[in-house]
Amino acid sequence: MAKKKESLEEKLGMKKKSMWLTLKKSEIKRAMSFAEDYKKFLRDVKTERESVDYMIKIAKERGFKDLSKAKTLSPGDKFYIHNRGKSLALGVVGKKPYEGFRLVVSHIDSPRLDLKPNPLVEDSDASLALLKTHYYGGIKKYQWVSTPLAIHGVVYTKDGKRIDIRIGDNPGDPVFVIPDLLPHLARRAQGDRKLFEGIKGEELQLVVGNIPVEDEEIKNKIKTAVLKHLNEKYGITEEDFNSADLEIVPAYDPRDVGFDRSMIGAYGQDDRICAYTSFRAILEVEEPTYTSIAFFYDKEEIGSDGNVGAQSNFLEYVLAKVLSLMKPNYTHVEFLDILYKTKAISADVSAAINPLFKGVHDIPNAAKAGYGVVISKYTGHGGKYGSSEATAEFMAEIRALFAKHNVPYQVAELGKVDEGGGGTIAKFFAQYGMDVVDMGPGIIGMHSPFEIASKMDIWSAYLAYKVFLSQ
Ligand code: MN
Ligand code: MN
């Protein structure tokens, strides 16, 4: 077949097309089937703990071994190690293990509502039992009212027994709801408020019961009835809420969006879209040159603090552990040298253009749905504050890699310069001297309970992470 003549636009590097037009039919079919797997993952996994459990289960079946119990490591070995069931690393040892690592780092926590430590109250005026919440991460509170919600998490009893809770996802399960105010009476109570205060933090309370116990002696009859139910069903008491991680998440399943089913709408795609695609990628890495590791962190949405966040020393711990199992007497200088040679992708989502609010984007520098995974040379706010900018050299290296392997991508910024901004875990990894760049699909309606992503961008992220980790 004759080679098509290169157009002037192509020659000048001006050409960007939707992946829906550039991908072969057979590859679009593979991307659509990948999206089905991803939807199942989003349906089954809605919290960081559930992500870690899900990934370890599958990784074990695929021959990944527990790094905390390993005695030695050799090239080709696959390993996993978790941190308190909330953060995880999955890796494959490379043929040149001292030449730096290849890391793809995502986060598995998502914005949500957590139950307060003393959450259960009764409102006798309304004759209802309520659960009080404390929101986690950057939510628009008004998006969480009058929508079905589920409770996920763990409770530890006084005796240290772990009780797993997951209520609201199965058809037949009850759900919970934060009731919004009827418009008829909202003119003053809500109408005079600014949008972000339409619902306030302390108003995020779930309706959880209406039936009282039949006992004249008891004051809070509905609260007591709810506790009685919880005690009978789960063996927990009111005090046990003090030792619990209970998260409130949307109760509905992921869905296809659009007549053409081109997109997925679901809760928690920031950042489980990157977590799932990099998870699938690391599962398929075989005998890489460099040791490849996919990290999955908790606590990104609240600043990556704490012992399970990206600012903890879990990274150093895992890398040192891997090295020590190959070369027991490696020196600190050797370790630093390997860190400097390491290259990483901070796998987190970007914002795709929202057609209703285009004004927040600089269009030539904004991500379009369906144009591939978004590479962000830097994040941050204002004058690039809080960002670790990728060097021109590293950007060139990534471009060359993706060109060689036909990975579609786009380069964009989050929004207009003075519009706002956001950070990722990139800077915490860059501190070690490694090259890091941000890369992930563009999302429409990020941090909402129903975020939208193009199936092409999901596929592109998977290809990008796989090529990077397979080096
Ligand atoms: Mn994120
Ligand atoms: Mn986020």
Side-chain angles (χ1 to χ4, degrees), residues 107 270-271 300-301 348-349:
H107 67 91
D270 173 11
D271 186 31
E300 193 278 343
E301 295 294 356
D348 207 345
V349 295

